[in-house]
Amino acid sequence: MTDSVSSHRNTDTATETAYFSINGMHTQACESYLERRATRLDGVSDAAASYTAEMIRVTYDPDRVGRDAIEETLSAWGYRASDPTPAETPAERNDFDFDHLRTIFSVIAVSPIYIIYAAFFYPVYLGFLPSDSLDNNAVFTGLYGPVAMFTTITVLGVGFPILRSAVISLRERQLTLDVLIALTALSAYAYSIVSLFFLDRLYLFFDVATSIIVLATIANHARARYKRRAVQDLTDVVDDAETTARRLHEDGTTETVSIGECVGGDHVLVRPGERIPLDGTIVEGRGTVNEALITGEARPQRKVPGDDVVGGSVVADGAFEVAVSDGATSTLDRLRGLVWDRQTEGHAIDRLTDRVAATYTPLVVVLAVLTLGAWAALGATPQVVVRTALIVLVVACPVALTLVTPLAIGRGLATAAARDVPVLDQTILERVTDADVVAFDKTGTLTTGEMRVAAVHTTETEADALLRRASAVESRSSHPIATAIRERAPSDSPSVEAFERHRYGVTATVDGEVTAVGNPWLFDALDWKTPVDVQDAIESIREKGAIPTVIGRGGVARGVVAIEDEPRPDWEPMVSAFAEAGRRVVVITGDDSAAARHFEDHPAVDAVHADVAPEAKEGLVRQLRDEYGTVAMVGDGTNDAPALAAADLGVAMVSGSDFTATVAAALVTADDLSPVRSLFAIARGTRRRLRENLALALAMPAVGLPLAVTGYVTPLVATSLTAVGIVLVLVNSRRSLTLDDVATDA
């Protein structure tokens, strides 16, 4: 069985997919560069990198190229590719990595420069010491030499990732923020070196060059920590995922064991709604399987004995006995892969920063050139001309802008995870506030999903005998109604043969007689007789808002069970909040209209669609999209998978240990509805925080540039303005989203 999620074989081709951790990614240009390097290898068919997740996924032919060759190819130009350990995720790498070491070293390397500047240069700049005190050979050897040496180490050594990113960005024809940062630092460094040996030594920009590199290094480190923390929130959810299998013994008994205990040849039993724990082959049972986790196709696929099934896929209907394959991949492996895939998706908010960089970088360069030309035209000395243009670059240096997006998104993701609604697709933080319609599945979403048998009406002498027979038929079903019947029935259920699932229920042979359990429509479809007293009981149950489940044998309905499902206590304030926010609220249920009347009568609910079969929910969601616009669908994540996939935004209700979502963008892991409402508020708060960060990052350049162009800003003040901008963004991002942010109406 596979030990790691770093590599797995694709079932439909002869290729393998491998994941590599990449240290040193800073911009989207790094993504395209690494993808090109990987795909140039013979045998690599596809590569997708993400600097957000610090990962690259490579699809390759193992017969033509090996993992070691791919890793070696990716480990170039300062990038470091590594194979994640079996338990490792992008967020679980050693915190004290090379970037961490570089950040600490940058502070150490720059300290002597600031000490020397504070003791000797700044007093001269501020008029406390005469300018000629710096113009002698002893000062040149004792001060300028060490400053130049430490600056060179800082700019070219510590700053190498930034310089590399700038070069790669230009090669990829992208004007990223790293291009402007590198241009500013190198310009200040080059000017200082030239001035030191050939011009006036008084005003040097060594402190500016090192400050830009150190501030950018610290900003990159903070950004990386936020990214890894966001990924960790998701992997924590995966780590809580169910890791057991129901192993079937030769005598027909089952045993719940860890997935790791299963070996090739073991037989496992999988019920409807459950994940197939490991790759294998169907031995017994017919039904459909949702393979969205693996293929992305939400529509269930029909499976019969002899068909292969993959770990992580969900049994939509039917029950299967599966023989585990040798070297099988587990559900947990694929769930981790799912989280990584979600993290590598592109985001519009990331593109906002790219658009800002594409406009801001050339604008600043043009402004610096115009400043240089204007001062030259006014007759200023060459040093003053160059120095003023450099100060313009320093004031406009966009280090704070690099923090805007990741810190805002990181805070939103952390808040969402803390409020029991972890986000798998970060784009939901951008799109959820645009929802025009919020559609809810009824059972398990607006209701608790904890069905109970409220009453039993039977034409036979003993209700327990009827329930015992129904419990036997429902033994291979995980539907909440089946669970309620099994819990109410005596424990000594008879054996079952020829189990078959129908659209409106199930049938099986119990004690040699065909028994049916399900919706009253099942008996119409089977052409079974329903006595008048059973029909009367069905109508009476419906009038009370309960769900009638009919039990029959030998071609005749013998009784009916009243099933009740309590609405969640917080459903009314939630739908009212959505309605007050101007969103259309829709309830979708497979139950009849009588069972949904409680929701239909609520003024905040715009429409209730009853008697909707699971396979019809997808079409209904598409219809809502066509009629009203953007649709957010909240469902149980398994039976509603096609509907969640069809919606613009899918939110799955799951328990903390039941990772049932396959196509959802977010999960609700609490047993209440408040996280759904919080998700909308968190998205608004995240977008607001993004705008705040952007305003704070641009505030210092907006204040300083007019003064810099006119020559009223010194190098020390210019560097201070850049540092203040970074501090403002960091402090603002560290603020928790306030209670008002997540408690206001959706």
Side-chain angles (χ1 to χ4, degrees), residues 137-208:
N137 291 332
V139 171
F140 183 88
T141 304
L143 297 182
Y144 290 121
V147 167
M149 179 185 70
F150 280 110
T151 301
T152 302
I153 293 172
T154 303
V155 172
L156 302 182
V158 174
F160 174 76
I162 299 169
L163 303 180
R164 177 201 60 201
S165 177
V167 172
I168 290 174
S169 296
L170 292 175
R171 288 179 58 179
E172 299 295 325
R173 299 181 180 180
Q174 298 180 28
L175 289 177
T176 63
L177 296 177
D178 277 350
V179 172
L180 187 53
I181 293 172
L183 175 64
T184 303
L186 288 176
S187 298
Y189 174 71
Y191 171 81
S192 301
I193 291 294
V194 172
S195 296
L196 178 61
F197 290 101
F198 303 106
L199 303 174
D200 183 6
R201 300 172 185 171
L202 181 58
Y203 292 104
L204 302 179
F205 283 69
F206 286 128
D207 59 331
V208 174

Side-chain angles (χ1 to χ4, degrees), residues 116 303 397 469:
I116 293 173
K303 298 291 183 179
C397 192
R469 181 176 289 273

Side-chain angles (χ1 to χ4, degrees), residues 331-350:
T331 293
L332 190 59
D333 288 344
R334 287 196 170 92
L335 289 176
R336 285 187 172 134
L338 170 66
V339 170
W340 288 354
D341 287 345
R342 293 285 189 175
Q343 283 298 309
T344 60
E345 294 174 349
H347 313 297
I349 289 180
D350 281 338

Side-chain angles (χ1 to χ4, degrees), residues 466-476 485-486 489-490 493:
L466 188 68
L467 287 174
R468 184 182 291 107
R469 181 176 289 273
S471 175
V473 177
E474 296 284 23
S475 63
R476 294 199 175 187
I485 291 175
R486 289 198 302 269
S493 298

Side-chain angles (χ1 to χ4, degrees), residues 49-50 73 108 129 268 346 377 396 444 450 467 519 660 667:
S50 170
T73 299
I108 295 174
L129 293 176
V268 295
E450 297 176 357
L467 287 174
N519 189 288
T660 57
L667 311 176

